[in-house]
Amino acid sequence: MKDLTKGNIYKTFIIFAIPLVLSGLLSQAYGVINTIIAGKFLGEDGIAAIGSTNALMEFISGLFWGFGAGFSIFVARLFGEKNYEGMRKNIYSNCTVMACVIVFIALICIAFIRPIFAFLNVDKNVYHDAAVYYITYLLGLIFIIFNNTGVHIMNAIGMSSYPLKMSILSTVMNIGGNIFSVTVLKAGVLGIALSSVISAFIIDLCYLVRIRKCFAELNLPSLKGKFSDFAAVKKSLSYSLPVTLQQSAMYFTSLWIAPLINGISASATAAYAVVLKLYAINSNVYQNSTKTLSTYTAQCVGAKKFNQIRKGVFVGFLQANLFLLPVLTVCIIFSKKICASFFPAGYTGDALQYTIDYVRLYLPFVVFNLVNNLFHGFYRGTGAMGLLILVTCIGAVSRIVFSEIFTPTQGIYGIYLGLVLSWITEAVITAIMYFCGHWKKKIIREAQETSPGAVVTF
């Protein structure tokens, strides 16, 4: 456990971020390998079957990613205040609420599979395999989502190395399980889904053991009576609900656009599934890097070290670019070889060309999304949730509008163009809002409520 507000900020940021970035890359590595295995052994239709419901899965996962990220910011503030008992109550109580809601949503989605697939415009050629993957994945959704929640909790208390260990273990289990299930058991997409669920369950157990050990290290007494205190959930809702709404706005756009993509062709669906993996490799680098800024900012607010916040933004921006640019450069230079690795040997269909064009022409603009993600993390850390939701909604609406305008004439390239233009639009607006200083208001108000007459300097 570590207080990020102490010591040399450059050293603190880089030491904390390296395990997070490596963890994110490993997490994406097994996602990429899943897709490669599906492409090599199951062909274009295998990729399409897995990718056709990605938008819905990401939307649901995004909701709970947001809830977990939100309440973990509150946990980071409690950690900064050294309110360890309150921190433990908040973690247990919010996890209990999440578990109940996840199970309910998963069952609803399974019950309404037919109208959901009709909305997503799932290609009839991959309908059966898509349904098998969809149902299996949803049945294990609670375990998959709690992997991310474990990462959030570890980050909040300054432990970034443990999630890296879990990512290594998860990657090994997923890759081994996928290869075994597809090549030996011949289980197809069912085997790929089961590998994800089983490995997620094991990782959840590891996180539970480690979190309980952290509580013991803080000399917290054993829990007696109620396991959860829902008053603790209420206290953190001002953080968790806005981030949940923010994530829902982000992923709702993907859900809206999914029928457009599936309606183009199976090749477009397959290409977009690969594109998402390549985008995720790059975006996870800076997304995990900027988690450092989010945790740092929240701890600064909790410890009332407001004058350190601005420097954190500057260091966070430099660090995110430092991690992104090498990965992005490799993807662009070796775009043809990287994209071809997702498809069977000798494949020259449309899906491959769609993927190569995305990496060469559109992926470089991801630097604008780096700016967006940096400020998302910053606004979460400061508690400026209104700004967080506003800028996210601007990006989401602009993506839908641009996609609807360009897709009818440009096909899959209209989808790519809509994404890039939305990144640029949001980046410009969110940077303007930061320099205008609107994020300071809540911090000043809360500081003066706890210490009337206090002078807050940034």
Side-chain angles (χ1 to χ4, degrees):
M1 290 173 282
K2 184 174 178 59
D3 184 346
L4 302 184
T5 66
K6 297 178 180 178
N8 182 290
I9 187 172
Y10 294 95
K11 182 179 178 181
T12 298
F13 266 50
I14 201 75
I15 290 174
F16 188 79
I18 286 174
L20 290 176
V21 172
L22 291 176
S23 176
L25 285 173
L26 283 170
S27 296
Q28 290 307 313
Y30 76 71
V32 167
I33 292 170
N34 284 355
T35 307
I36 291 175
I37 291 171
K40 292 294 186 184
F41 293 98
L42 307 177
E44 181 181 294
D45 284 350
I47 299 178
I50 294 173
S52 59
T53 58
N54 265 350
L56 179 61
M57 299 302 184
E58 288 180 352
F59 177 74
I60 297 171
S61 297
L63 294 179
F64 294 103
W65 188 98
F67 191 88
F71 87 74
S72 69
I73 292 299
F74 189 66
V75 168
R77 292 190 64 169
L78 293 173
F79 182 80
E81 295 170 3
K82 303 188 185 306
N83 182 0
Y84 301 132
E85 180 57 41
M87 182 182 74
R88 177 170 66 173
K89 285 183 179 180
N90 194 269
I91 291 171
Y92 280 151
S93 302
N94 276 286
C95 286
T96 301
V97 170
M98 284 181 64
C100 295
V101 178
I102 291 168
V103 171
F104 175 76
I105 289 178
L107 293 176
I108 291 295
C109 287
I110 292 172
F112 290 93
I113 182 173
R114 289 185 181 276
I116 288 172
F117 272 38
F119 168 75
L120 293 174
N121 201 16
V122 175
D123 193 292
K124 63 181 181 179
N125 294 324
V126 300
Y127 195 99
H128 178 265
D129 282 346
V132 169
Y133 183 84
Y134 172 86
I135 292 172
T136 307
Y137 196 90
L138 283 171
L139 289 174
L141 186 64
I142 186 171
F143 307 123
I144 294 168
I145 287 175
F146 269 102
N147 277 198
N148 286 327
T149 306
V151 174
H152 292 316
I153 294 170
M154 291 288 102
N155 292 344
I157 59 179
M159 292 183 64
S160 60
S161 59
Y162 193 75
L164 173 58
K165 296 175 184 176
M166 292 300 98
S167 290
I168 294 171
L169 177 59
S170 178
T171 301
V172 171
M173 288 190 296
N174 265 280
I175 294 173
N178 285 337
I179 293 174
F180 179 76
S181 63
V182 173
T183 61
V184 178
L185 299 180
K186 306 295 182 183
V189 295
L190 173 62
I192 292 175
L194 282 175
S195 294
S196 298
V197 172
I198 293 170
S199 67
F201 173 73
I202 295 171
I203 297 302
D204 286 344
L205 291 179
C206 294
Y207 273 122
L208 179 60
V209 171
R210 190 64 187 90
I211 290 169
R212 289 172 64 87
K213 186 177 179 181
C214 288
F215 295 152
E217 291 170 357
L218 293 170
N219 297 315
L220 293 174
S222 299
L223 280 171
K224 295 181 181 179
K226 293 190 301 182
F227 186 74
S228 298
D229 178 4
F230 292 104
V233 177
K234 186 177 180 180
K235 290 179 182 178
S236 63
L237 284 178
S238 62
Y239 291 85
S240 55
L241 285 183
V243 183
T244 302
L245 290 173
Q246 180 241 354
Q247 290 293 307
S248 68
M250 288 176 59
Y251 287 104
F252 175 77
T253 59
S254 296
L255 194 59
W256 180 287
I257 291 165
L260 291 177
I261 299 168
N262 291 337
I264 297 170
S265 66
S267 295
T269 301
Y272 194 70
V274 175
V275 160
L276 287 178
K277 298 302 180 185
L278 296 175
Y279 161 73
I281 290 173
N282 288 268
S283 64
N284 262 265
V285 172
Y286 58 78
Q287 285 171 1
N288 283 285
S289 173
T290 56
K291 286 177 183 177
T292 309
L293 173 62
S294 187
T295 301
Y296 170 83
T297 304
Q299 289 189 1
C300 282
V301 173
K304 295 181 170 55
K305 298 179 180 180
F306 307 121
N307 62 320
Q308 297 181 194
I309 292 177
R310 280 187 179 275
K311 190 170 184 179
V313 176
F314 174 72
V315 176
F317 178 75
L318 291 180
Q319 179 177 269
N321 278 281
L322 176 67
F323 284 120
L324 169 65
L325 293 179
V327 177
L328 180 60
T329 301
V330 169
C331 286
I332 294 171
I333 292 174
F334 300 101
S335 57
K336 189 171 183 178
K337 289 184 177 180
I338 291 172
C339 295
S341 67
F342 287 88
F343 300 94
Y347 176 82
T348 57
D350 290 340
L352 176 58
Q353 191 59 51
Y354 292 157
T355 309
I356 294 172
D357 289 343
Y358 171 82
V359 175
R360 290 178 176 174
L361 303 176
Y362 300 91
L363 187 59
F365 290 93
V366 79
V367 292
F368 288 96
N369 200 40
L370 180 153
V371 175
N372 299 330
N373 193 262
L374 180 81
F375 286 114
H376 287 179
F378 175 72
Y379 292 147
R380 284 197 299 270
T382 58
M385 300 304 182
L387 284 178
L388 177 65
I389 294 173
L390 177 60
V391 296
T392 303
C393 287
I394 289 171
V397 171
S398 63
R399 185 183 175 193
I400 290 173
V401 171
F402 290 133
S403 297
E404 291 284 0
I405 290 173
F406 294 112
T407 302
T409 56
Q410 302 297 317
I412 192 65
Y413 298 108
I415 297 294
Y416 298 162
L417 184 59
L419 183 60
V420 167
L421 292 176
S422 70
W423 288 341
I424 296 172
T425 301
E426 185 181 345
V428 171
I429 293 173
T430 195
I432 291 172
M433 290 184 174
Y434 168 74
F435 288 111
C436 288
H438 295 298
W439 52 272
K440 301 176 184 177
K441 294 179 181 179
K442 184 176 181 180
I443 296 175
I444 295 172
R445 185 174 65 252
E446 289 182 350
Q448 291 178 344
E449 286 175 353
T450 55
S451 302
V455 178
V456 180
T457 57
F458 294 91

